[in-house]
Amino acid sequence: MGNLFGKKKATRVTEQDRAVLQLKQQRDKLKQYQKKITLQMEKERQLAKQLLKDGKKEKALLLLKKKRYQDQLLDKTENQISNLERMVQDIEFAQIEMKVIEGLKVGNDCLKKMHEVLSIEEVEKIMDETHDAIEYQKQIDEMLAGSLTQEDEEAVLAELEAITQGEADLELPEVPEEELPEVPEQEPVREKVKKKPEREMLAV
């Protein structure tokens, strides 16, 4: 069964990355050395105090001279650390600049392809057509505005007001509140008309 998420793409390590790594390792070693010397100097300073109390002034003086020499070593170490850190920053900033330049290059290539698709002549043609369409619409508006008198304008506004008012006044008929009569379940029986006898009719 293969890897469901696929193989992880290996990150390419450049020469600049290796250089930065080595510089940082050297910086860290110098910091460790600096810390070690600082602790040792503090111990020797305390020892010099004890020697002075014990009356061993020469040994105490020798330790203080050694401490002074170590102070100078610490200053050199600090300068070396600063130089290494500055170099690391310069390399990292140069890498950023390279990425920016690569991005600009890609952007320029993209713009060139877009310019090939849309030439200056075609852009000018589109702009001219747009301008002509705007001018044509402007002429129509001016013609319509010039063909109507003040009286026509007032009539149009009055008609618009009437239409608006008519839509506002339009209401549905009211539903009667009275109940309708009930429909009988059986049809009413019609009364039969009695016919007169034939004799009576003849007698008349």
Side-chain angles (χ1 to χ4, degrees):
M1 184 175 179
N3 190 353
L4 296 176
F5 299 99
K7 294 181 178 179
K8 187 176 180 180
K9 188 177 179 180
T11 304
R12 189 170 66 90
V13 180
T14 63
E15 293 296 328
Q16 292 83 4
D17 294 332
R18 293 193 184 93
V20 169
L21 179 61
Q22 291 177 359
L23 290 171
K24 287 183 177 180
Q25 288 175 344
Q26 292 174 5
R27 178 201 62 190
D28 294 340
K29 288 180 180 179
L30 285 175
K31 285 185 176 181
Q32 291 176 359
Y33 173 77
Q34 190 181 43
K35 186 177 180 180
K36 178 181 176 182
I37 294 297
T38 302
L39 292 174
Q40 185 177 351
M41 287 172 57
E42 183 62 26
K43 290 180 180 179
E44 290 179 351
R45 184 170 178 274
Q46 296 297 329
L47 181 58
K49 284 184 178 181
Q50 186 63 39
L51 290 172
L52 286 174
K53 288 181 180 180
D54 297 339
K56 300 177 181 178
K57 185 177 179 181
E58 294 182 0
K59 290 185 178 181
L61 184 61
L62 182 63
L63 284 176
L64 291 176
K65 288 181 179 179
K66 182 180 178 182
K67 178 180 175 297
R68 181 62 180 174
Y69 174 72
Q70 289 174 337
D71 280 334
Q72 295 176 357
L73 288 179
L74 284 178
D75 291 338
K76 292 180 181 179
T77 303
E78 187 65 31
N79 291 332
Q80 291 176 352
I81 291 174
S82 298
N83 292 333
L84 290 172
E85 289 180 342
R86 190 179 304 110
M87 190 171 294
V88 168
Q89 291 175 357
D90 291 341
I91 294 174
E92 290 177 342
F93 184 73
Q95 287 178 311
I96 294 173
E97 285 183 328
M98 288 178 62
K99 291 180 180 179
V100 171
I101 293 172
E102 290 175 0
L104 291 174
K105 183 180 178 182
V106 173
N108 288 332
D109 293 339
C110 182
L111 286 175
K112 287 180 182 178
K113 292 179 181 178
M114 292 175 66
H115 292 160
E116 291 174 0
V117 174
L118 194 64
S119 62
I120 296 177
E121 292 79 9
E122 190 170 355
V123 173
E124 291 178 349
K125 181 181 177 182
I126 294 172
M127 296 297 292
D128 291 338
E129 291 176 352
T130 304
H131 182 266
D132 293 341
I134 293 173
E135 289 295 326
Y136 181 72
Q137 183 62 40
K138 185 177 179 181
Q139 291 176 4
I140 292 176
D141 294 339
E142 291 176 353
M143 290 174 62
L144 290 175
S147 62
L148 298 178
T149 63
Q150 182 65 29
E151 186 179 353
D152 294 330
E153 293 285 349
E154 293 176 358
V156 170
L157 293 174
E159 184 178 359
L160 178 63
E161 181 67 22
I163 293 173
T164 306
Q165 188 66 26
E167 291 180 353
D169 296 339
L170 184 60
E171 296 181 357
L172 296 175
E174 295 182 359
V175 179
E177 296 180 357
E178 298 178 359
E179 296 183 358
L180 297 175
E182 295 182 358
V183 179
E185 296 180 357
Q186 297 180 354
E187 294 184 0
V189 180
R190 295 181 181 178
E191 294 182 357
K192 295 182 179 180
V193 180
K194 293 183 180 180
K195 293 183 179 181
K196 293 182 180 181
E198 292 182 357
R199 291 178 181 179
E200 292 180 2
M201 293 177 66
L202 292 174
V204 175

